[in-house]
Amino acid sequence: MARQQLVEVDNDLFLWSEESEAEDDRDEAAALQRKMFNIQYLSRHRWKTLSKSDVKASRLDSNERISAKEVLEALRRIPNKHWKNNGRANVRPDGVEYIDSITLGLVSCQSTLGRPLPSKATHSYKNLTRMLLRFFKQSIEEQTSRYGCRGIVCTSIQLNRNYAAREHVDGNNVGPSWIIGLGDWTAGGQLFVEDPEGGERHVLTCDIPGRAVRE
């Protein structure tokens, strides 16, 4: 399957395929079914009304630098009901039914039949998505040369609020993940990243399917 990315062009968001899908289209019936589903899915959400809490489009008309404070203010305007997520079972703490989590950009889940397509939240918060892409570009691209990156391109933006994810392994990550913390929290921030050559030992508090189990 062609790698897809979420990009901003002329103040709009588009899906961009890195390569042709011709090699995947040997089964014409399956290819047609896939394309029809993609069209139907995108059509259902294309006319979805922007949330009243979305960033004003006029803010993105200028080239003025976007600050972390401005991003935090935009995130705080999102209503609590839009944060509630009963998915992502691999990160939800034990006994917790909902977490505060929003995915902008591409998702691959049951509602998309496992195909990478824009999330519903992306259509509701189109301008916020654009703001975050621009914020990442101006804030991170200055540092990417040390990692051998030539630019910031991403497929998805994961927003998390007010919960401590349990140990897990992201199954579909490709390339580096960039993380930024915003807010005035007083606890949290204990991040453990697996490293086969690391010098510290971490005892799991839960099993990680397919990777590791507690001792």
Side-chain angles (χ1 to χ4, degrees):
M1 180 181 293
R3 294 180 59 186
Q4 294 180 303
Q5 299 168 335
L6 185 71
V7 297
E8 182 181 12
V9 179
D10 294 333
N11 296 327
D12 211 343
L13 295 171
F14 293 92
L15 281 176
W16 175 71
S17 294
E18 188 175 85
E19 57 192 49
S20 171
E21 293 189 2
E23 294 182 0
D24 293 333
D25 289 349
R26 296 168 186 168
D27 186 335
E28 295 184 3
L32 178 60
Q33 184 180 29
R34 181 175 65 247
K35 291 177 181 178
M36 288 302 298
F37 175 83
N38 292 355
I39 292 172
Q40 291 171 358
Y41 178 93
L42 294 172
S43 297
R44 283 201 307 270
H45 302 299
R46 179 176 178 82
W47 307 111
K48 190 175 180 66
T49 304
L50 289 177
S51 170
K52 295 180 180 179
S53 304
D54 193 19
V55 174
K56 300 297 182 184
S58 57
R59 170 59 186 91
L60 302 174
D61 290 340
S62 70
N63 293 322
E64 183 181 351
R65 189 176 181 84
I66 296 171
S67 67
K69 179 181 178 181
E70 190 174 4
V71 170
L72 180 59
E73 290 174 349
L75 296 177
R76 284 175 168 167
R77 286 195 295 269
I78 300 176
N80 288 333
K81 63 180 181 180
H82 290 178
W83 281 98
K84 298 303 178 185
N85 186 340
N86 62 356
R88 305 193 68 208
N90 65 317
V91 304
R92 288 203 316 267
D94 290 338
V96 174
E97 185 177 358
Y98 294 91
I99 55 175
D100 288 357
S101 176
I102 298 173
T103 304
L104 301 174
L106 301 181
V107 293
S108 178
C109 57
Q110 185 176 1
S111 64
T112 67
L113 298 184
R115 298 178 174 94
L117 292 168
S119 68
K120 296 178 182 178
T122 306
H123 296 275
S124 297
Y125 290 94
K126 178 179 175 180
N127 295 325
L128 173 62
T129 305
R130 292 170 54 203
M131 170 187 274
L132 291 174
L133 287 171
R134 192 174 301 180
F135 174 69
F136 296 153
K137 181 179 177 64
Q138 70 182 27
S139 302
I140 300 175
E141 206 163 55
E142 301 166 353
Q143 307 176 39
T144 55
S145 58
R146 75 179 68 174
Y147 300 103
C149 299
R150 291 176 294 179
I152 294 299
V153 179
C154 69
T155 57
S156 309
I157 302 170
Q158 185 63 51
L159 306 176
N160 297 308
R161 185 184 74 165
N162 296 342
Y163 79 93
R166 61 190 176 94
E167 292 102 330
H168 65 281
V169 174
D170 293 328
N172 298 313
N173 284 13
V174 176
S177 295
W178 297 88
I179 303 174
I180 183 170
L182 301 172
D184 53 2
W185 66 85
T186 57
Q190 289 78 36
L191 176 65
F192 177 83
V193 179
E194 181 184 16
D195 184 350
E197 299 180 358
E200 297 185 20
R201 186 171 181 268
H202 176 74
V203 179
L204 296 177
T205 60
C206 61
D207 295 343
I208 300 179
R211 290 298 298 273
V213 297
R214 288 171 289 182
E215 294 181 347

